[in-house]
Amino acid sequence: MSFVVSFAGQTALAMAMAYAWFVVPGLLVQRLLPSGVAGRSPWLFAPLLGLATFGPFSSLCFSLLPYDLPRLLACYALLNLGLWYGARGVRADGPPSGHGTDAARQTLWLVQGVACVLALVPCVSIFPFVYNGGLYTGNAIHDHARVVFIDAIYRHGLPPLNPLFAPGQDVPLNYYYLWLWLASQLRMLGGVAGWPADVALTWFSCAAALLGCAGVARELGKTRIAAWATLALLMSGPAWQALPWARDWVPPGVLATAIAHATWAPHHLLAAAAIVLALWLYSRASESNAPGWRSAFVLGGLLACVFGCSVWLAFALLVSAPCLLLAVFWQRRAASRAVRSELLLLARACAVAAPPCVFVLVAATSGPFTFHGVPVALAIQQVVSWTDSAWLQLPLYWLYAIPVAYGAACFLGVYGLARGLRRVAVPSLFVLLSAVATVSFLLVSQLIASTVVNNDLGWRAHSVAYLLLAIWGGVGLEELVTVGDALQQNVAFGKRLVGVLGLSLVLLGLYAAPHRVPAPAAHESPRVRAEHQRWLAHARGWQIVRRYSGPDDFVQSNPFAFADLCPWPVNLSFTLLSDRRARLSHPNWIYTYSHGMDKDMMRGLDAIVTNAFAKEPQLWLLRSLRDQLHVKVLLVDREDAVWNGDALERSGLYRRVDAEDAFRVYVATPH
C-alpha cells in the first residue's frame, strides 16, 4: 500500500504544479490578442493556451540548450516577461477574473472546478492499485508505457534519445514528443517519478480540452447553459452502451469519444482541442482591425502544439486546409482586403509554428533506419463487421456509425450548427469553419489511413469533429431550453433541465465507458496473480538498479517479461518503473518507435540480450553484452530461465549485489 500512497502524493503534487505552471503563460498570452478576442472566458482558455505557448517555446529553446532546472525556470521567466512586455499597447479586455456580475464569476470558477473533477475520470484507468499483494491498472496503461520516454527526456533533454533500442549507438526517438516534453517538466519541477507525471499531465490535458471547449461554447451562447451542456456532452459518450443488449450493434471503438481519447491518448485530445481553439481565435482575430504578429504568435503556438502532440492530426489539418481556406474566401468574398489580411495572419502563424515543428520532424525521421514508402494510404474505414462492401461502408459511416458512436453530441451538434448557419444571412466565419472542419475531418478519418503499426490517423482525425459537435450541441441545447419570450423563466427552467440531462448523460456515459479499471478477476490463474505480485516487487528492484547505475548507464531486463499484464505485450516493469535506458525492449514497441529500423541489426542485438536470461547463457555473448554493449546492471526476474542456475555468477562477468523472492540484481564486474 505504501507504493500507492507515495504514488498518490507525487501525482497530487504534479497536478498542482501543472495548473500553476501552465495557467500563468496562458493568461499572459491572451493579452497579445486584440480587444474582445478572448471574450468572457480567459480563465477557461488559459490552461490550453499555456500548454500551447510554453510547450513549443521551451522545446525550441532546449533543443539548443542542456536541460536542467535553473535553465527551465529561466526559460519560463523569459517567456512570461516577453509576453507581458509584448502586450504593452494592446487594449486589454478587462480583468481576467470573471467579467461581470458575482454570479458570472462564481459560474466561471464552478465550471473550472467541475471540469477539473471530470478530468480525473480518464486517470482512473492508469492509476495503480494494490490487490492481493499485486500491482494492477487498467488496460489503457499500455499506451501510457511511454513513461519511459518522459524519463529519457528528463535525463538527457532534447532531442530525446530512444531508451528502448540502442544497437551499439544512441538513436533518436521516432515520435512526436511535445506532450512527453511537457510531462518531463512536471518531473523536473516537482521531483516526482515519470509515471505520476504522466497521470498528472493526462488530467491537465483533459481539463484543458474540456475548459477550452466550454469557453468557446460560453462565447457562442447567450447564457451559461451552453458551457455546462458542452461539458456534459464531452463526458457522456454513447450512453446506450450501458444497455447490455445494445452492445452488439454499437460500432467498433474507432470513433472514440473525448473520454476515451483522454484515457488512451491525451496528447491527441490536446491536439484536437488546440485545432478547435485555433479556429475560434482565428475567426475572432481576423474580424478585428489589427490581426498582426501578436495574434500570429498565439495562433502559431496552437499550430505548433498540434504538430508536436499529434502528427496525425497535423496531417488531417493539412488535408482539410484547402476546404477551410475556401470557407474563408467565400465568407469574405465581398472584401478582398480582408482576405489578404487573413492570409497574411495565417502565413505569420505558420512562420511562428515552423521552428519548433522542424526539430520534432527531424527527431521523428532521423536515425540509422530505412523508410519504406509513404506512411498513409487511401482506405475506407470499416464501421460494421457484417459486410466488407465498400459501397455499404461509405453511407453507414455517416448514417449509422457516427450517430451511434457520438450519441447526443451528434444530434444536438447538427441542430446547433444548422441553427448557426441559418441565424443570419451571412454566417459568421467560425460557424462556417466549424461546419467545414466537421465534415472534412470526418472524411479524412473515413477515407485515409496511416500504415505505421496502427491506423492512428483514422482513429484520431475525427476527434476534432466530435469536439466541434459537442460545442455546437451545447449551444443548440441552450437554444432549445431558452426559446420564447419569457426568457428569464426559460433560463431558470433550462438550467434545471440541462442539469438533470447532463448529469444523466455523464453517469450513463461513465457507466458505459469501456475503459474503466476492471476489478482483479477472482478466477485469474495463479500464474497471472504471481506476475502482478512480482510487478509490485520490481518497484523495489528498480530502485536498487538505480542505486548501482547512473542516468547515462545501460541496464537490462528480459524484454519479453510481464507479457500478461495487459492484452498487448510490453515489459511494463521496465517502461514504467526503471527510469533507465536499455539496449533492447520488446520488439513490438521498438518497431512502433523506431519503425524504420534495420531488421538485421535488431536480430543481432536480440541474440546478445536474450542470451543473458537463458537457462545456460553463452559466455561469449555475455561478454559482448558487458564489453561491447556496456550493459552495467541486470535485473533478473524469478520467471527468467537463468534464475534456476548460477551461470551469471560463474561467468565472472556479472556479480549478484541484491536479491529478493521476485528478483535478483547483477552488476558488471570491472574489465
Side-chain angles (χ1 to χ4, degrees), residues 238-402:
W240 47 69
Q241 281 189 357
L243 304 174
W245 52 267
R247 298 293 177 101
D248 293 335
W249 52 269
V250 172
V254 291
L255 292 174
T257 53
I259 184 173
H261 277 295
T263 302
W264 288 84
H267 51 302
H268 292 295
L269 177 65
L270 180 63
I275 291 175
V276 171
L277 187 56
L279 294 176
W280 168 252
L281 293 180
Y282 175 79
S283 63
R284 292 292 296 269
S286 64
E287 293 167 356
S288 68
N289 295 323
W293 277 104
R294 292 185 177 95
S295 298
F297 181 82
V298 181
L299 292 172
L302 288 166
L303 294 178
C305 179
V306 173
F307 187 90
C309 289
S310 174
V311 71
W312 301 120
L313 276 165
F315 176 82
L317 178 61
L318 183 63
V319 173
S320 303
C323 300
L324 296 172
L325 288 175
L326 285 176
V328 173
F329 293 152
W330 186 87
Q331 210 273 346
R332 299 285 196 258
R333 61 190 181 279
S336 58
R337 179 174 297 181
V339 172
R340 288 195 296 270
S341 177
E342 292 179 10
L343 289 177
L344 181 60
L345 173 61
L346 183 60
R348 289 172 172 173
C350 292
V352 171
C357 292
V358 167
F359 281 97
V360 174
L361 183 63
V362 169
T365 58
S366 59
F369 309 128
T370 57
F371 288 87
H372 305 284
V374 180
V376 294
L378 293 176
I380 297 175
Q381 184 81 271
Q382 184 171 357
V383 294
V384 293
S385 57
W386 44 266
T387 178
D388 294 328
S389 172
W391 297 108
L392 285 177
Q393 299 287 348
L394 286 171
L396 286 173
Y397 178 84
W398 298 90
L399 301 177
Y400 167 71
I402 293 173

Side-chain angles (χ1 to χ4, degrees), residues 171-217:
V171 297
L173 175 66
N174 292 156
Y175 199 65
Y176 31 94
Y177 56 75
L178 182 62
W179 194 89
L180 306 169
W181 161 246
L182 292 168
S184 79
Q185 295 181 17
L186 302 182
R187 180 168 180 194
M188 180 71 73
L189 292 167
V192 300
W195 191 357
D198 175 270
V199 175
L201 193 60
T202 296
W203 165 79
F204 190 72
S205 299
C206 183
L210 292 176
L211 289 171
C213 292
V216 174

